[in-house]
Amino acid sequence: MSNAIPDKPALEGLEPKWGEVWEAQGTYRFDRAAALAAGPDCVFAIDTPPPTASGSLHIGHVFSYTHMDLAARFQRMRGQHLFYPMGWDDNGLPTERRVQNYYGVRCDPSLPYDPDFTPPFEGGGTGKPAEQVAVSRRNFIELCERLTVEDEQQFEDLWRALGLSVDWTQTYRTIGDEAQRVAQRAFLRNLARGEAYRADAPTLWDVTFRTAVAQAELEDKEMPGAYHRVSFHKPDGGTIEIETTRPELIAACVALVAHPDDERYQPYFGTTVRTPLFGVEVPVVAHHLAQQDKGSGIAMVCTFGDVTDVVWWRELDLATRPILGKDGRILAEAPEGIEGDGLAVYAELAGKTVFSAKARMVELLRESGDLIGDPRPITHPVKFFEKGDKPLEIVTTRQWYIANGARDEQLRERLLQAGRDIAFHPDFMRVRYENWVGGLSGDWLISRQRFFGVPIPVWYRLDEHGEPTGEPIVPSEDALPVDPSSMPAPGFDEAQRGQPGGFVGEVDIMDTWATSSLTPQIAAKWEDDPELFDLVFPYDLRSQGQDIIRTWLFSTVLRAELEHGTIPWKHAGISGFIVDPDRKKMSKSKGNVVTPQGMLDEHGSDAVRYWAASSRLGTDAAFDPQNPKQMKIGRRLAIKVLNAAKFVYSFPVPDGEAVVTDPLDVDMLATLGDVVRQATRAFEEYDHARALEVTEQFFWTFCDDYLELVKERAYGSTPGDAGDRVDGQASAVTALRRAVDVMLRLLAPVIPFATEEVWSWTHDSSVHRAAWPTVDELGVDAAPSGLLPLVSQALIGIRRAKTDAKASQKTPVAHATIAAPLLLAEAAADLKAVGRIDVLDIQQGDEVAVLAIELAPTPEG
RNA sequence: GGGCUCUUAGCUCAGCUGGUAGAGCGCCUCGUUUACACCGAGGAUGCCGGGGGUUCGAGUCCCUCAGGGCCCA
């Protein structure tokens, strides 16, 4: 049954009220049977960003997820079957770090499982490593599971409050068994096709988290440093002076390099010099990446100080002389080449951190006279793990990689073609994808030396000496998911773990992106439910923020291309980000963070959604928490919708067939027809902001002018001055109700709560499953005649005359003369009624102008 | 250093394929009109970042410079 129209409609309470109804009625549920019957073309599938469960949702999430929901709601109303799941990215380092701090624990895989373990804190941890209790891997993972489940519930609550129309029966977790199965299956297939491989290579390494990290996770930070001018010794006794910011790595030096065109150093190419203090003989070589104008123009190459060192080392085939360990300290053993007195110097450094090794080296170089002058302070970009707080080091380790086109021209071209096959909204965002693909410098490193993640599903055979040998052992796909560190390799017994002739399990896990790059496959239950998969894949829309084009968007395209040879989705909607009033990216450190929940509580969900909807895709939105203008406007719109609709529904409903006959009513509907056309096209083009703008603009004209003009007639209180006034009341009310019905649906994607409330006053079903409005249903087969704007202008003229006279708008007018196109006469009666004009003369004229107006004498009072 | 993007009213932003500058907020004035005071009516406000070019005509197209932002080096 329809809801009663309240006396005082209000926005308060609509979110929980309708949230419960939608849930109870399954309004947003994916109707699989109907979708199957209708076929894939009638399915609209959305690949949703799984937010990091351990992070916090911020205003930018609300912004982008609302954009996604606008498209979803539009498509649903157009009759598409929505496959709109939601996932949580709960695996990975961010969760581990949060768990460490929250519970005050740290993982030590060598410890046994303690079934009765109670963490020292519940949300009160200090985050200081010294106060953390070491726990077994299994205990640690249990805590991760516990906390993410709690976090995810809060996320879901927020999304429901925001009114996202996702199907909550279709949720997934990137640490869940289904996701693990998909991730491991995809990996095994990559491995079988040779796209996944294991290699020893210089690897970017975070010494805090003790894990390898990938190119996509890098972040440059400007850091203070200092150039140290240091002498290298030529065989003839002379010196070559280099400048370096990392003198502590001199022991790792394997060459000096200068630009091939640099005349200063050309004579030395092919010769050797000896390193200071250590006396190691290293070649002087030429390479175009050496910068002539930087420092002294000649640099030392170490294994490895930065990524350029890696390039030189590889391309110039230099020696390997590593001195840094995975803990970020100088290795105990001196590398090959350091002998005699050099060993004593090295012993002074061994075990030191990079920081203290540098200090000691400077002292030693100063004593030996190899340091020229004082170090010269500079700031320079240093590579960091985006979640780390110490500079990355480069160490050589054995890691797993997935091919990404960096070393394969053909694959790269296929990925670029995939980018061209996807419709980016806005289009220019494709460039960021292309830049990223073009700039890849190595294959995708997916192994992480961490705990809470999807295990890499392989084991290694041990030879009779207990050394790993041969190809990795892989499980069969139907055994997935597997955990090689707790399950025996196929064909082996657990007792053979670590024994000669037995096996060992891979202990590394996959980077979280190696799983979340498969969200389309996970949500569609790839291989586990082929019918569903074929129905929804490839998806229609990927919606996300611009900041994760290089990670999530790229990696998803890559996995789909490798596994399916197709694009994962047809459209990519890219949201901008939120900037504060100073046009700076919003950040927590500014202290002006507004929690999304607080925002929803304060302004209401419709208002917040309006704010998001009024920004186009790809455009950054300014947000000032002190002055949230757009939200106030959105709130006003939602309230106005409630009130205007209530008003319209208060007019007596005419008996008999509803026919719109009055020219003004016809013109209003014809104008609305244009609005429907424009809004529909805008939504089709993922331009929700434009759809909202044209709809909203019409709505205010409807309220301020049309509704004012016809309300007397709609009450049935205008006697009328012509024969056609007999149906005037019926015409007005019919047109009013028809217009409201259409406008509610146009606005439903943006303000789902207010529109649903109003819709319920006259309908039994949800507006969100109603058909998107069409021009045909307006029943007006005409282009706008221009009557409505004409009357609006005339009305403004009358109002202005009254304002100028400082009179109330209610003041009667004895006589008014208006120049206007004669079309205006068609609405003369309405104009007279709203202006309280006794006698109205309309004279032919091109422009609307009030020629004369005579207010009736105001009664004393 | 390379790429992308933005620069229009005090503020936030529209201006689609070139044809006389728009909205909302804010501001000023007025109005207790039975939909709405979380209201209504009216009004003022622009070298459309600078310079050059194409064109009968340029916020709109081209070049260039400056500044902001983002991404990549």
Side-chain angles (χ1 to χ4, degrees), chain A residues 184 210 346 456 473 568 715:
Chain A
Q184 292 187 338
R210 300 205 185 178
Y346 188 86
I456 292 175
I473 305 169
Y715 273 130

Side-chain angles (χ1 to χ4, degrees), chain A residues 74-115:
Chain A
F74 169 69
Q75 295 292 345
R76 186 182 295 110
M77 292 177 75
R78 292 207 101 192
Q80 294 291 91
H81 295 279
L82 261 284
F83 183 69
Y84 190 7
M86 177 64 67
W88 314 117
D89 194 10
D90 33 24
N91 94 45
L93 193 51
T95 296
E96 291 191 15
R97 190 160 59 162
R98 175 158 153 75
V99 165
Q100 286 175 359
N101 294 335
Y102 189 91
Y103 294 113
V105 296
R106 96 186 114 78
C107 180
D108 181 346
S110 66
L111 293 175
Y113 177 61
D114 174 1

Side-chain angles (χ1 to χ4, degrees), chain A residues 446-717:
Chain A
I446 60 154
S447 43
R448 294 292 181 277
Q449 290 66 49
R450 301 298 308 180
F451 316 103
F452 193 57
V454 178
I456 292 175
V458 298
W459 293 262
Y460 307 100
R461 206 178 304 276
L462 297 179
D463 63 17
E464 65 275 24
H465 308 296
E467 292 297 318
T469 179
E471 292 297 304
I473 305 169
V474 298
S476 67
E477 285 192 7
D478 53 15
L480 302 178
V482 298
D483 178 9
S485 64
S486 65
M487 297 161 68
F492 287 84
D493 192 87
E494 183 59 31
Q496 294 172 272
R497 183 182 295 272
Q499 302 300 316
F503 72 95
V504 289
E506 172 64 69
V507 295
D508 285 359
I509 60 171
M510 295 187 205
D511 171 29
T512 186
W513 293 108
T515 303
S516 53
S517 57
L518 297 162
T519 51
Q521 290 86 346
I522 293 168
K525 303 183 167 54
W526 171 53
E527 295 284 300
D528 289 342
D529 187 345
E531 185 185 74
L532 177 65
F533 187 79
D534 290 344
L535 191 57
V536 302
F537 189 92
Y539 286 42
D540 294 274
L541 175 65
R542 150 63 66 89
S543 182
Q544 63 164 74
Q546 57 172 306
D547 49 331
I548 48 177
I549 290 176
R550 67 175 178 168
T551 46
W552 193 40
L553 190 146
F554 166 71
S555 61
T556 309
V557 173
L558 172 67
R559 303 307 288 279
E561 174 62 31
L562 292 178
E563 184 58 42
H564 311 285
T566 176
I567 51 175
W569 3 258
K570 302 179 187 89
H571 298 269
I574 312 292
S575 300
F577 48 67
I578 310 305
V579 293
D580 70 12
D582 303 327
R583 300 222 64 86
K584 290 284 186 316
K585 213 168 159 179
M586 287 281 257
S587 67
K588 287 181 191 167
S589 55
K590 290 204 177 290
N592 60 354
V593 261
V594 184
T595 66
Q597 190 62 56
M599 222 165 51
L600 293 178
D601 291 344
E602 190 181 345
H603 304 285
S605 298
D606 281 348
V608 172
R609 292 175 61 100
Y610 175 94
W611 161 73
S614 56
S615 284
R616 290 170 305 162
L617 288 175
T619 303
D620 299 346
F623 176 65
D624 181 357
Q626 253 56 58
N627 188 18
K629 281 187 220 160
Q630 287 297 310
M631 292 183 196
K632 288 182 176 166
I633 297 166
R635 186 174 174 79
R636 203 177 59 134
L637 173 69
I639 292 171
K640 190 79 172 182
V641 166
L642 295 177
N643 285 316
K646 176 177 150 57
F647 187 39
V648 166
Y649 293 143
S650 72
F651 300 125
V653 181
D655 298 327
E657 201 189 343
V659 185
V660 178
T661 53
D662 189 279
L664 183 60
D665 303 338
V666 170
D667 195 45
M668 183 275 291
L669 290 178
T671 308
L672 178 54
D674 266 358
V675 170
V676 168
R677 251 187 292 269
Q678 290 179 59
T680 304
R681 183 150 44 109
F683 264 121
E684 283 170 348
E685 293 166 356
Y686 293 87
D687 190 355
H688 49 249
R690 179 161 183 77
L692 170 59
E693 191 195 335
V694 295
T695 305
E696 188 187 12
Q697 217 229 310
F698 176 84
F699 174 72
W700 285 105
T701 302
F702 174 87
C703 290
D704 294 344
D705 295 347
Y706 176 76
L707 193 42
E708 290 294 320
L709 278 160
V710 304
K711 69 181 180 188
E712 298 294 338
R713 178 152 57 88
Y715 273 130
S717 57

